[in-house]
Amino acid sequence: MSICLRYTNRQEDALEIYNDSFLKIFKEIHHFKPLYADELNSFKGWIRKIMIYTAIDHSRKNSKHSFAADMETSLVYIKDNEEDPLDKMSHDEIIQAIRQLTPACRTVLNLYIIDGFNHEEIANQLDISVGTSKSNLFKARQQLQQILKNNNKIQITKNVG
Amino acid sequence: MWDEEDDKKLREAAGSFQPPLDENAWDSMEKLLDEFLPQETDRKRIFFMIPFVLVVVTILLTLWFKSGDLFKNNIASLNPERGNVEKTNNNRRITNNKNGEKEIAQSKGNVTIDRGSSLKKEKNSFLLKNEKIETRLRLKKENKKADKNISNQQTAIPKIKTGNNKREESENITDSKPANNQDFHFANKDKIKASSDADTSLRPNVMKDSNTIAFKTDTSKTIKAGVQKTKTKSSNSFSERFNIGVSAGPGISFVGNLNGKITVDLGLALGYRITKQFGVHTGVFISKKIYAATPNDYYSPGGSSYYLAKIDGDCNVIDIPLNLDIYFSQKRNHEWFASAGLSSYLMKKESYNYFYKLPGGESYVKNQTIFNQNKHYFSVLNLSAGYNYFLNNHFSFSAQPYVELPLTGVGEGKVRLNTAGILFIVKVKPFLKSKK
C-alpha cells in the first residue's frame, strides 16, 4: 500500500491501484518463477514491480496531463547555504511531501530515486524521451525541497507560537 | 543542492513508511475477486459423491423390489397349489385318483383346496395387477359374494365322481345346513378331493352343501387371513426398521499436532434398518469445535503476517451425517456394528483469536468472528463402530466411538480439522405397536 500511496495523492486512487495490482497477482501467480535462490525476496520484488506498473497505468488513464508536460513550468531555486529540510522532517512527512508533487514529477521521482529505474527504462515506461525524464526529475527535486521547506517553516512557527 | 544523501533519505522514508490499515479495503477487493476470479466448484467432491449416491440408490431400489416380492409371496399364499395349506400342514399326502385329480389328504387342515375357476380368476387378477389396494377391494368383494352364496345355496347337487363311498353317500343329502370347518373335516377325515377344471361334473361351486359351505367359508377366511397378513407384514416392516435416537457424548477436535478442548456434542439421529445386516442413518448434531492451529495450517487470504504465532478457533457447527451401517455378531439382545459415511458441516459461528508476537517481545491478539458463512457439504469422512444393546422391542442403547476426517479445509482458515469422540445414543422405534 505504501508503494501505491507514493504514486498518487488520493487515498481512493491508491486503494484502486492496490486492488488492481493484487487482482493481477492472483491471476498470474501460476506464471511466477523465482529468478533468485531467495524465493521470498524474489516474490516480493515481483509484487513490487506489478504494483509500480499498475500505478503507472493508472496515472496514464486518469491523469489529465501527460508525463511530458508539467503543470508548473516555473523552477524554484534553493540557496546553497540554507539547511536541508529533509534533515528535519520525519519519514511520513517526506512521503506526504512526495504526494504533493505534480503527477509527472512524482512518477519520475518515485521511479528513479526510490524504485531504482534508470532514465532509459523510465522513458520506455512513460513513453517519453530520456531528456524529459531527466528534466522532470530535476523539477521534482526542486519542488520537493520547496514543499519540505515550507512545511518546516510552518512547523517552526507552530513551535514558536 | 540535492545530493546522494537526499536520495538515500527518500529511500529510507519510502522503506519505513507504513500506512494505517484500512479495514474496509478488503470489501472492494472481495468484489473484484468475485467478479474476475469466481471460485470454481470442487468437482472432486462431486465425483467422490457419485459412487456413494449410487450405493444408496441401489439399496433403496433393492428394498423397493423386495417389498414387491413380499407382496407377491402373500398373493401366492392364496394359491391353492402352494398356499397356506402346504406351509401349515405337516401331515400332507398327495395322491392321484382315477380321474387324475390330485387328492390331498390332511390330518389337520384349515383349508380345502379347490381349483375352482372363480378362485383362479381372483389369483390371476391379483398377479396381473399386483397392487395391494385393488387386491384388498377384490378380496372384500369375493368375501361378500361368498357370504351371499352361502345364504342362497340350493339343495340340488350334481353328481360328483369320487372314489369315496362316504362322499357319495353324502351327496344324497338334500337338506343342507351350513357346516363349520370342524364338521367338514370330521366327516371327511382321510381324503379331501380337489376338483379339476377339466371335469365339468365336478363343478366347484356346486358340491355337497356342507362341503360347499365349508369351502366357501374356509376360502373367505383364507382370503381374509391373507389380506390381514399382507397388512400386518407391510405395516410392521417400517415400524420395526425405523428408529429415532437422542445422542450426547464428548469429543475433541485437533489440527495437526495441536490438541483442542474436549466438548460435549448433542444430537438427534434417524435410522432405518434396510436388512438384518445393513442400515442407514442420518441426523443433526450440534457440536463445538475448539482447536489451535499454527500459521502453516491456517489459510489467510493474501498471506499471513510474519509475526502471527498461533490461531485459536472456537466454532459452533451443525454436523449432518449420512452413514451406511453394517451389523454383525447379532445376538438376541445385542449386536455390533460399523459405520461409514460423509458429513456436512454448517459453520454457524466461527470465532478466531490471532496471536501475534513482535521481535521486541511484545504480543497482541486480534479477534475475528464470522456468522453463517462457511458451509462444507459432504466434506468430512466419518468412521465409527459401536455396540447396540436392545432393552426391549422399542428401546435400545448404543455406544459409538467415532472419528471424523476432513476431505477439504474447514472453516475460514480452511484447516484440516480432525475430530474424535464417543456418542451415547438412546434409540426408540416410535411407530412400533406394543404386542398385547
Side-chain angles (χ1 to χ4, degrees):
Chain A
M1 193 65 176
S2 60
I3 298 172
C4 305
L5 281 169
R6 280 194 283 113
Y7 280 88
T8 178
N9 59 351
R10 291 179 67 224
Q11 183 76 13
E12 297 82 16
D13 291 345
L15 185 59
E16 198 179 326
I17 294 165
Y18 186 70
N19 287 342
D20 289 344
S21 304
F22 267 98
L23 189 61
K24 286 181 190 176
I25 288 163
F26 291 140
K27 278 184 177 179
E28 302 297 326
I29 195 160
H30 54 282
H31 289 147
F32 168 69
K33 283 178 189 173
L35 295 172
Y36 312 108
D38 187 355
E39 289 184 2
L40 180 62
N41 282 327
S42 184
F43 184 64
K44 280 182 182 174
W46 181 70
I47 290 175
R48 189 187 182 87
K49 272 194 178 170
I50 289 176
M51 289 210 166
I52 292 166
Y53 296 147
T54 309
I56 294 168
D57 291 340
H58 186 270
S59 298
R60 196 179 287 138
K61 272 186 217 172
N62 298 334
S63 178
K64 294 176 185 178
H65 314 282
S66 69
F67 292 106
D70 202 359
M71 254 183 96
E72 295 176 19
T73 53
S74 59
L75 296 174
V76 176
Y77 290 98
I78 309 294
K79 292 180 184 175
D80 284 347
N81 57 358
E82 283 193 5
E83 291 176 355
D84 192 352
L86 279 168
D87 293 333
K88 295 183 181 174
M89 308 298 287
S90 67
H91 291 163
D92 282 355
E93 287 165 341
I94 293 170
I95 298 298
Q96 295 304 325
I98 291 173
R99 296 179 72 192
Q100 290 175 33
L101 296 171
T102 57
C105 296
R106 181 172 62 232
T107 306
V108 173
L109 185 131
N110 276 312
L111 286 170
Y112 185 83
I113 297 176
I114 300 173
D115 295 321
F117 288 77
N118 58 33
H119 286 293
E120 286 77 20
E121 286 169 339
I122 293 169
N124 226 3
Q125 276 295 321
L126 302 181
D127 203 20
I128 54 176
S129 63
V130 173
T132 310
S133 173
K134 289 178 181 176
S135 168
N136 283 342
L137 180 64
F138 180 76
K139 289 174 195 173
R141 282 170 169 162
Q142 297 295 327
Q143 283 180 23
L144 186 61
Q145 279 187 319
Q146 186 61 35
I147 292 166
L148 290 170
K149 187 184 168 193
N150 291 339
N151 290 346
N152 194 24
K153 278 183 183 173
I154 292 166
Q155 275 196 351
I156 291 167
T157 52
K158 275 183 184 173
N159 290 337
V160 167
Chain B
M1 201 56 193
W2 193 277
D3 56 9
E4 286 293 324
E5 284 297 316
D6 295 327
D7 288 349
K8 198 178 172 185
K9 285 171 195 167
L10 284 185
R11 284 188 214 108
E12 278 174 15
S16 62
F17 175 58
Q18 289 294 332
L21 178 66
D22 182 6
E23 292 190 357
N24 297 326
W26 174 248
D27 295 337
S28 51
M29 184 75 223
E30 207 173 14
K31 283 177 190 170
L32 271 179
L33 288 171
D34 288 341
E35 189 184 340
F36 294 102
L37 289 174
Q39 279 188 338
E40 293 177 358
T41 54
D42 193 354
R43 291 185 184 177
K44 285 181 189 173
R45 201 188 308 158
I46 295 168
F47 283 126
F48 187 82
M49 271 302 300
I50 288 173
F52 184 75
V53 169
L54 284 173
V55 164
V56 172
V57 167
T58 307
I59 289 167
L60 290 172
L61 284 172
T62 310
L63 179 68
W64 186 69
F65 282 124
K66 266 196 172 179
S67 64
D69 289 340
L70 197 68
F71 178 66
K72 280 185 185 174
N73 286 338
N74 285 332
I75 297 302
S77 70
L78 299 174
N79 188 339
E81 290 181 358
R82 48 192 170 108
N84 290 332
V85 177
E86 291 182 358
K87 285 178 186 176
T88 57
N89 295 320
N90 295 324
N91 301 320
R92 181 170 58 90
R93 187 178 67 192
I94 301 173
T95 56
N96 290 323
N97 62 10
K98 290 177 188 177
N99 297 323
E101 298 157 15
K102 283 188 182 175
E103 296 178 352
I104 298 173
Q106 299 178 6
S107 57
K108 287 180 186 178
N110 51 4
V111 175
T112 56
I113 296 171
D114 183 5
R115 298 179 195 178
S117 61
S118 63
L119 186 60
K120 249 199 176 177
K121 278 180 187 175
E122 288 167 14
K123 182 191 91 176
N124 289 335
S125 65
F126 296 154
L127 289 174
L128 283 168
K129 291 193 178 179
N130 201 26
E131 285 182 5
K132 290 183 182 178
I133 296 168
E134 288 188 12
T135 307
R136 284 179 198 165
L137 288 172
R138 283 181 177 275
L139 289 171
K140 278 181 185 175
K141 284 178 188 175
E142 291 298 327
N143 286 338
K144 283 179 186 175
K145 280 183 188 175
D147 292 337
K148 279 182 185 176
N149 286 334
I150 290 163
S151 59
N152 295 329
Q153 190 61 48
Q154 290 182 2
T155 57
I157 302 163
K159 287 182 183 176
I160 297 167
K161 290 184 182 176
T162 64
N164 193 348
N165 292 327
K166 285 184 184 177
R167 197 178 265 273
E168 283 172 0
E169 283 173 12
S170 65
E171 285 174 10
N172 296 324
I173 297 170
T174 55
D175 292 328
S176 62
K177 283 181 183 177
N180 57 18
N181 289 341
Q182 288 177 351
D183 290 340
F184 171 70
H185 290 301
F186 183 74
N188 299 282
K189 235 196 242 178
D190 299 324
K191 283 187 185 179
I192 296 171
K193 287 195 186 250
S195 60
S196 163
D197 281 338
D199 192 350
T200 53
S201 61
L202 296 170
R203 298 218 25 107
N205 291 335
V206 192
M207 288 168 65
K208 181 192 172 220
D209 284 343
S210 59
N211 292 343
T212 309
I213 290 160
F215 160 69
K216 285 297 177 183
T217 310
D218 290 337
T219 309
S220 64
K221 276 189 179 176
T222 307
I223 290 165
K224 279 181 184 172
V227 169
Q228 281 171 3
K229 270 190 181 177
T230 314
K231 214 177 179 180
T232 51
K233 269 189 181 177
S234 61
S235 62
N236 279 344
S237 62
F238 177 78
S239 57
E240 278 179 352
R241 293 168 195 227
F242 177 76
N243 65 75
I244 297 175
V246 174
S247 70
I252 184 168
S253 300
F254 54 96
V255 177
N257 295 328
L258 298 175
N259 281 339
K261 260 187 176 178
I262 294 176
T263 56
V264 176
D265 300 337
L266 303 168
L268 188 71
L270 303 172
Y272 187 82
R273 195 72 166 257
I274 300 167
T275 64
K276 254 189 174 180
Q277 286 78 29
F278 294 98
V280 288
H281 83 262
T282 183
V284 177
F285 296 85
I286 298 168
S287 61
K288 206 166 174 61
K289 313 277 184 195
I290 300 176
Y291 60 89
T294 62
N296 289 336
D297 296 324
Y298 191 93
Y299 168 76
S300 297
S304 57
S305 169
Y306 181 77
Y307 304 116
L308 181 63
K310 198 182 77 159
I311 303 107
D312 280 354
D314 184 348
C315 304
N316 294 344
V317 178
I318 290 179
D319 181 0
I320 304 173
L322 182 60
N323 280 22
L324 183 68
D325 305 326
I326 299 170
Y327 299 91
F328 50 93
S329 187
Q330 291 159 327
K331 305 289 179 196
R332 193 169 156 262
N333 56 355
H334 68 268
E335 64 186 358
W336 294 87
F337 67 93
S339 178
L342 295 172
S343 280
S344 302
Y345 276 2
L346 307 180
M347 313 295 284
K348 302 304 288 177
K349 181 185 170 187
E350 297 167 75
S351 179
Y352 299 100
N353 286 332
Y354 302 89
F355 294 91
Y356 295 85
K357 219 173 186 181
L358 297 171
E362 296 167 353
S363 60
Y364 65 96
V365 182
K366 194 176 161 189
N367 178 266
Q368 183 187 20
T369 304
I370 301 161
F371 293 93
N372 291 321
Q373 191 157 328
N374 291 299
K375 293 176 174 63
H376 309 286
Y377 295 107
F378 299 106
S379 298
V380 179
L381 176 69
N382 66 64
L383 305 167
S384 61
Y387 175 80
N388 261 346
Y389 180 78
F390 303 107
L391 295 165
N392 54 37
N393 281 342
H394 288 78
F395 291 93
S396 62
F397 174 81
S398 293
Q400 185 178 350
Y402 67 91
V403 166
E404 289 185 336
L405 307 170
L407 301 174
T408 60
V410 172
E412 188 66 15
K414 302 205 184 330
V415 294
R416 291 281 172 177
L417 184 64
N418 304 295
T419 308
I422 183 165
L423 280 176
F424 300 100
I425 311 167
V426 175
K427 295 181 194 170
V428 63
K429 294 178 184 176
F431 304 113
L432 184 65
K433 288 178 185 175
S434 51
K435 293 176 184 176
K436 289 179 183 177

